[in-house]
Amino acid sequence: MAKLLLKLQRYFRRRPVRFFTLLALYLAAGSLVFLHSGFSGEPTVPGSPRSPAAAQGPGLPYLGVMQLGRGFKAAATMPAGARRHGPWFKSTSKEPSERGKSRDNGGPRSRALRGRSGREKEEDRARYIGCYEDNTRRRTLRGMSFFDYKKMTVFRCQDNCAERGYLYAGLEFGAECYCGHKIQASNASESECNMECKGERSNTCGGINRLSIYRLELAQESARRYGSAIFRGCFRRPENVSIALPASQLMLNMSVDKCVDFCTEKEFPLAALAGTTCRCGFPSTLFPLHEREDEQLCAHKCAAEEFESCGSAEFLLVYQTQVQDNRCMDRRFLPSRAKQLVALASFPGAGNTWARHLIELATGFYTGSYYFDGSLYNKGFKGERDHWRSGRTICIKTHESGQKEIESFDSAILLIRNPYKALMAEFNRKYGGHIGFAAHAHWKGKEWPEFVANYAPWWATHTLDWLRYGKKVLVVHFEDLKRDLFVQLQRMVALLGVPACEDRLLCVEGQKDGNFKRSGLRKLEYDPYTPEMRKVISGYIRTVDAALKLRNLSGVPEDYFPR
């Protein structure tokens, strides 16, 4: 035996290549045997009756080696002595239910049945009342609305509507949620509400121009009170008051509660208290809410509430109700290809997303983007998915500042914001998302100083480059847009070449916040800027200020400069 081993050793010393070849073949054979042991039963693939994935779409072809890889992973984590199945075979006890899912996946009827079973579980907080028609021009539920094309669920819609005191919650197109106090359309066939919710495939969220509507059983009566209405101020009674505020009711026991509730039921966004008369309407050219009066002129006690003011016949106390003004909510792509590319240019954190929201409401057309942000698309910015040169959107969001990129646009709206605020907003977005906040550790760690060192110079060069290379640039300061939205939005819409409808712009004022406003509840309790940082940023501010004035434009607002 020893002689045989010695001969083999001499043989492989002379031919090492053969030794390594045989060794590789041995290891490969062992690996194949081990992989095969992961599939003692029949192979399972997506789309088979045993696959949970089958409930989410049509079957996919067998993927060969990829499936073996997934089988290996499942086998490696299997307890000793347990029977091995394919990676999607959770347990034999669930097999019949999985088969049931696969059979039911065929069409709208199965989804409606699953939706109804989900609805029965939610009877304690909401009652499903049916599928209803809807119209983009005249909504069935005319209260608040929001979209989420990725994570919409029935509970989320119900919860948002109930929190704001609405009686009804409706879901449409799998991803759109509408709230209201009154259903203003007729029933549709249940089979027409056939779209699965984007965030939970087991439930139905309406259909195309069809609403799955729930009555919110647990909506608190107190939540529908004026506590959630917005105080707009004291205003002089408009001329032709019956036209400006068309609905009215005499209330001898007047209170803010009663007037707001009355106008909410009538589906008007404004409630105006005029002594013993409650008036309802919309912001309009007859009643634009731009010229506030001294609140003392409205300080007349309510008959039913000693500590509330109810205005007078000449001076109206105005509240904005929970009813959404739908005159500016319709949006679509341009009917024909745009002849010019208009940039909506800004430094990151300067309010570009908010400006896009305002422009879409003011013009009725989607805005596009130089980039693609899935979270913005899911929140309703449908132009986000279009290529920026498609010509289907009214303007294009961009943070670019190079000469080549700037010269590719025919004109631009340049949005400038206080660098101290813009840098903090972008830092929050980078580490906390569009409406989130950076963690305390990020502010106190090395991330913040490095961020300021890299981004502060860019704030200045971004503006300087657009002033230098832009062909037709309209400068809008973020602070001016907040302070005087109507006038600044008029300027922006004029550059875009769209006729400015004043009633539509007034509607925008009531819907100005959008879905991407940080709550402000987590403001820093300290100043993150060091004296060295402020010295450098102040130099950049002076440079930009001088560049604006050199082009006969107003310089930066005074609050840019530290006191």
Side-chain angles (χ1 to χ4, degrees):
M1 184 69 180
K3 290 182 179 180
L4 179 62
L5 291 173
L6 184 62
K7 287 182 180 180
L8 286 171
Q9 184 180 12
R10 289 174 179 172
Y11 175 79
F12 283 117
R13 279 180 180 175
R14 290 194 296 267
R15 297 171 178 80
V17 175
R18 293 182 182 179
F19 171 75
F20 287 113
T21 302
L22 288 172
L23 181 63
L25 289 172
Y26 172 78
L27 292 174
S31 300
L32 288 172
V33 171
F34 185 63
L35 287 170
H36 180 69
S37 66
F39 292 88
S40 58
E42 60 181 302
T44 312
V45 297
S48 72
R50 294 181 180 178
S51 169
Q56 299 180 10
L60 300 175
Y62 181 64
L63 300 179
V65 176
M66 184 179 291
Q67 304 299 345
L68 287 176
R70 294 179 68 176
F72 172 73
K73 183 176 180 181
T77 57
M78 190 69 67
R83 180 182 176 186
R84 293 188 179 98
H85 297 285
W88 307 274
F89 214 114
K90 301 280 177 148
S91 71
T92 55
S93 63
K94 291 185 180 180
E95 183 176 338
S97 62
E98 300 298 341
R99 284 198 185 106
K101 282 185 181 180
S102 180
R103 284 197 306 268
D104 285 348
N105 193 51
R109 176 174 171 77
S110 63
R111 285 194 290 272
L113 289 172
R114 289 204 307 274
R116 275 199 287 272
S117 65
R119 292 166 196 147
E120 290 168 2
K121 296 175 183 177
E122 306 199 353
E123 286 289 333
D124 56 336
R125 67 168 174 267
R127 179 169 56 88
Y128 178 71
I129 60 172
C131 181
Y132 285 79
E133 296 177 356
D134 195 22
N135 188 305
T136 56
R137 295 289 183 183
R138 191 168 179 81
R139 289 293 180 187
T140 301
L141 296 175
R142 300 177 190 173
M144 183 211 73
S145 65
F146 73 97
F147 310 144
D148 193 331
Y149 289 90
K150 190 175 182 181
K151 298 179 181 179
M152 180 62 74
T153 65
V154 171
F155 175 77
R156 184 180 176 196
C157 181
Q158 292 173 352
D159 192 49
N160 274 272
C161 293
E163 182 183 341
R164 291 161 175 80
Y166 290 103
L167 292 176
Y168 299 99
L171 295 109
E172 181 173 332
F173 203 64
E176 301 175 1
C177 176
Y178 297 89
C179 312
H181 290 289
K182 185 187 298 183
I183 300 173
Q184 304 191 57
S186 55
N187 285 88
S189 169
E190 283 297 318
S191 63
E192 295 178 39
C193 285
N194 54 14
M195 297 188 73
E196 295 177 338
C197 303
K198 297 295 185 182
E200 57 176 349
R201 301 283 184 178
S202 61
N203 265 338
T204 302
C205 284
I208 300 173
N209 289 331
R210 294 294 181 267
L211 281 167
S212 298
I213 296 183
Y214 295 80
R215 181 179 173 86
L216 305 175
E217 302 294 346
L218 297 184
Q220 297 293 323
E221 185 67 28
S222 60
R224 294 197 294 272
R225 313 305 279 181
Y226 84 97
S228 56
I230 302 169
F231 176 67
R232 295 298 297 268
C234 177
F235 299 89
R236 185 180 294 275
R237 186 186 69 176
E239 296 181 9
N240 300 320
V241 66
S242 59
I243 298 175
L245 300 168
S248 65
Q249 176 78 33
L250 181 66
M251 296 181 178
L252 297 179
N253 292 323
M254 172 70 83
S255 70
V256 178
D257 287 4
K258 292 177 180 177
C259 187
V260 168
D261 286 349
F262 171 73
C263 293
T264 298
E265 291 173 6
K266 295 293 184 181
E267 300 286 347
F268 285 103
L270 293 184
L273 290 81
T276 56
T277 303
C278 175
R279 299 186 179 277
C280 315
F282 295 90
S284 65
T285 52
L286 295 175
F287 195 45
L289 304 183
H290 287 163
E291 298 181 5
R292 282 194 180 195
E293 301 288 349
D294 187 339
E295 289 182 26
Q296 289 300 315
L297 297 172
C298 289
H300 298 272
K301 290 183 181 179
C302 296
E305 293 290 344
E306 181 181 357
F307 299 104
E308 290 181 358
S309 297
C310 279
S312 67
E314 286 299 318
F315 294 95
L316 312 183
L317 207 60
V318 179
Y319 289 84
Q320 184 171 317
T321 71
Q322 302 167 36
V323 176
Q324 182 169 274
D325 189 345
N326 287 318
R327 295 175 300 167
C328 57
M329 298 307 293
D330 60 303
R331 285 165 286 178
R332 61 191 187 280
F333 289 103
L334 292 173
S336 58
R337 185 181 175 88
K339 297 178 180 178
Q340 292 190 330
L341 287 176
V342 183
L344 178 60
S346 73
F347 174 78
N352 200 303
T353 301
W354 180 54
R356 288 178 67 184
H357 165 74
L358 297 176
I359 289 171
E360 290 195 359
L361 295 187
T363 64
F365 296 114
Y366 290 119
T367 58
S369 178
Y370 196 80
Y371 322 98
F372 171 70
D373 188 330
S375 65
L376 293 181
Y377 179 82
N378 291 331
K379 294 293 184 181
F381 288 94
K382 294 186 179 179
E384 190 77 16
R385 184 173 281 182
D386 267 37
H387 188 274
W388 67 279
R389 285 187 177 274
S390 71
R392 298 206 306 160
T393 52
I394 194 69
C395 64
I396 312 296
K397 164 190 173 177
T398 180
H399 299 311
E400 301 301 310
S401 55
Q403 178 180 356
K404 182 180 177 181
E405 288 78 6
I406 292 172
E407 290 180 346
S408 63
F409 291 96
D410 300 295
S411 58
I413 298 169
L414 177 59
L415 189 63
I416 304 174
R417 187 181 186 183
N418 184 325
Y420 295 106
K421 300 290 181 64
L423 288 168
M424 292 176 69
E426 176 59 12
F427 189 73
N428 276 323
R429 187 206 63 80
K430 186 174 181 180
Y431 290 99
H434 278 286
I435 56 175
F437 294 86
H440 184 77
H442 292 134
W443 293 101
K444 287 295 188 181
K446 64 179 182 179
E447 292 92 344
W448 172 243
E450 289 179 356
F451 179 85
V452 173
N454 292 326
Y455 277 66
W458 182 18
W459 176 85
T461 58
H462 182 276
T463 299
L464 297 176
D465 282 356
W466 277 94
L467 292 175
R468 180 180 180 183
Y469 302 118
K471 298 172 186 175
K472 182 181 178 183
V473 179
L474 172 68
V475 174
V476 176
H477 293 284
F478 176 87
E479 293 74 17
D480 293 339
L481 188 58
K482 285 186 66 176
R483 191 180 303 115
D484 195 357
L485 186 143
F486 188 86
V487 171
Q488 297 300 325
L489 204 50
Q490 273 186 322
R491 296 175 63 221
M492 295 162 72
V493 170
L495 180 79
L496 296 171
V498 178
C501 173
E502 288 193 25
D503 280 354
R504 190 171 184 114
L505 295 180
L506 291 168
C507 170
V508 176
E509 286 188 312
Q511 320 288 334
K512 63 183 179 182
D513 286 342
N515 293 327
F516 286 90
K517 182 181 179 181
R518 290 187 176 86
S519 66
L521 299 177
R522 288 184 52 187
K523 290 183 179 179
L524 287 177
E525 297 178 355
Y526 59 89
D527 183 359
Y529 293 100
T530 64
E532 292 77 15
M533 291 178 183
R534 287 191 171 276
K535 182 179 179 181
V536 172
I537 294 172
S538 293
Y540 295 140
I541 292 173
R542 286 191 290 270
T543 301
V544 169
D545 184 61
L548 290 169
K549 290 177 178 176
L550 191 63
R551 288 162 177 77
N552 296 320
L553 301 170
S554 59
V556 300
E558 292 182 3
D559 58 2
Y560 283 27
F561 295 100
R563 295 177 181 177

